[in-house]
Amino acid sequence: MRRLFTNLLIILVLGLTFNIHASYAQIVESDDNLDKLRRVIINDPKFFEKSKYFSKIFKGINPKTGDKIETSVVAVYFNYDEIVEAVNKNPEIKSIGNFAWGFEFSKKNLNGLTAKFTGRKAIEACYKHAKKKKLSGGECIFVDFQNNLGDWGNMHRGENYLYKERQKRKILSSGKIDESDEMLNKLYKVIMNDPDFIKKNKYLKYSKVGKYNKDDIKTMALAVYLNYEKEILDLMLHPLLLELEPYAWGWEYSSVDSDYYNGFTAIQRCYKDASKKKLSGGECIIVDFRKPTGDAQYPALAKNYLLEERETRKVIAQNSKKSK
């Protein structure tokens, strides 16, 4: 019952999100407008002076530490819908007004956000800056990505990440995320190979051993706390971003062989871990179901339960439509 309520709540929230974005359907998010907006932001006099974007960063120098860098991403705090509309109405716009920003740098030459270069530091620095400037009514959005910094022979004009913001909003307004087997298998691998999970959780260890204390383990289930839609969306926009937001987990086992596991105890433990870590915006979902085999080469038969989650969500969505 709790599971059904949680999923119905998600549908209502998503429906509200989609309606909000649909109200901005008339905003012209053309390449020209987004390129213009990017230029206005990075050429803003205050940003130009205080960020040292051109005097330091473009030369491959971290403006705070002086270290050599090759990649950067900048997040900017502003009201996307209002500013894009303003750019469309006024082609000669020179400023978007007061805004905040935050950077993240890498000493490696990268082609996009990755597991170790997530952009999270840029977002956090941006919101911290916005709070300091007492700004409101906006959000921190990735605007510009640069690589080959300091290498004038290979340096290009970077990548306008406002295109990715446009793509994200189109996906949200359509209500359709990529839940293909390929995408869910990718998300499953990201979860199961997360370094923090492997280091701190003994789920995989016991599945290989096949025993917990003196009990024989016949089946196991792992529940993970995550924002299902957001994690899929992030992988759609940034295919190299193979890292989750901080998440929690819980698992359980049974000495009885079965082909199905409701994972109730695993989910309870997962929510307890999420509460301890003060996480919000997600839910606990059964991600993995496995049977230890005792075979050294293939120690467990594992199943990606995100595929089951997808089917559960489809049924709930269909029932929700019928009830309207």
Side-chain angles (χ1 to χ4, degrees), residues 4-22:
L4 179 61
F5 174 77
T6 301
N7 282 282
L8 287 173
L9 183 60
I10 290 169
I11 290 170
L12 290 172
V13 172
L14 285 174
L16 178 59
T17 302
F18 300 154
N19 287 334
I20 290 172
H21 285 289

Side-chain angles (χ1 to χ4, degrees), residues 119-238:
R120 192 179 301 153
K121 291 180 181 177
I123 294 292
E124 289 175 353
C126 173
Y127 277 114
K128 184 177 180 180
H129 190 202
K131 184 178 181 180
K132 183 178 179 180
K133 298 180 80 170
K134 298 180 180 180
L135 301 180
S136 61
E139 59 183 313
C140 286
I141 297 169
F142 293 125
V143 169
D144 192 46
F145 174 88
Q146 296 285 341
N147 59 5
N148 290 309
L149 293 170
D151 185 352
W152 299 108
N154 293 314
M155 189 174 175
H156 53 75
R157 296 182 180 178
E159 186 175 351
N160 185 351
Y161 264 29
L162 290 171
Y163 288 4
K164 292 186 181 293
E165 182 65 22
R166 174 180 62 189
Q167 182 185 358
K168 180 183 81 173
R169 288 166 182 262
K170 284 183 177 179
I171 293 169
L172 288 173
S173 64
S174 70
K176 296 179 181 178
I177 56 175
D178 181 3
E179 293 182 278
S180 64
D181 286 3
E182 181 181 2
M183 178 59 74
L184 294 183
N185 284 330
K186 184 175 183 179
L187 178 57
Y188 174 75
K189 288 179 181 178
V190 170
I191 293 170
M192 301 306 293
N193 291 310
D194 180 82
D196 193 48
F197 169 69
I198 293 174
K199 181 180 179 180
K200 297 181 179 180
N201 196 290
K202 296 182 179 180
Y203 178 75
L204 297 178
K205 173 187 173 182
Y206 286 121
S207 73
K208 292 178 182 178
V209 175
K211 284 183 176 291
Y212 184 79
N213 293 331
K214 295 182 180 181
D215 295 337
D216 288 331
I217 299 175
K218 297 297 183 181
T219 56
M220 305 176 72
L222 172 71
V224 172
Y225 183 91
L226 70 148
N227 186 318
Y228 177 85
E229 289 81 9
K230 182 183 181 301
E231 297 300 344
I232 291 176
L233 183 59
D234 283 345
L235 284 175
M236 291 173 69
L237 297 174
H238 306 283

Side-chain angles (χ1 to χ4, degrees), residues 197-310:
F197 169 69
I198 293 174
K199 181 180 179 180
K200 297 181 179 180
N201 196 290
K202 296 182 179 180
Y203 178 75
L204 297 178
K205 173 187 173 182
Y206 286 121
S207 73
K208 292 178 182 178
V209 175
K211 284 183 176 291
Y212 184 79
N213 293 331
K214 295 182 180 181
D215 295 337
D216 288 331
I217 299 175
K218 297 297 183 181
T219 56
M220 305 176 72
L222 172 71
V224 172
Y225 183 91
L226 70 148
N227 186 318
Y228 177 85
E229 289 81 9
K230 182 183 181 301
E231 297 300 344
I232 291 176
L233 183 59
D234 283 345
L235 284 175
M236 291 173 69
L237 297 174
H238 306 283
L240 299 177
L241 186 60
L242 303 180
E243 183 181 82
L244 293 171
E245 296 285 339
Y247 69 95
W249 53 75
W251 63 277
E252 64 176 296
Y253 74 93
S254 174
S255 297
V256 178
D257 194 7
S258 173
D259 292 324
Y260 172 76
Y261 220 104
N262 64 22
F264 181 75
T265 301
I267 289 174
Q268 280 188 319
R269 289 170 176 167
C270 172
Y271 276 116
K272 184 177 180 179
D273 190 32
S275 177
K276 182 180 178 181
K277 294 176 178 177
K278 298 181 180 180
L279 302 180
S280 62
E283 60 178 319
C284 285
I285 298 170
I286 298 297
V287 167
D288 180 80
F289 171 78
R290 60 183 55 208
K291 294 183 177 184
T293 64
D295 188 297
Q297 188 173 2
Y298 302 102
L301 298 174
K303 183 177 182 180
N304 177 1
Y305 246 54
L306 289 173
L307 301 175
E308 302 290 331
E309 178 68 20
R310 174 185 62 193

Side-chain angles (χ1 to χ4, degrees), residues 37-55 93-99 101 129 133:
L37 175 54
R38 177 194 183 206
R39 287 196 302 271
V40 169
I41 290 173
I42 65 177
N43 287 300
D44 179 89
K46 287 185 178 180
F47 177 78
F48 188 95
E49 176 188 353
K50 294 184 178 182
S51 71
K52 295 183 172 56
Y53 204 28
F54 299 97
S55 62
I93 191 170
K94 301 296 183 183
S95 172
I96 67 168
N98 194 16
F99 64 88
W101 60 83
H129 190 202
K133 298 180 80 170

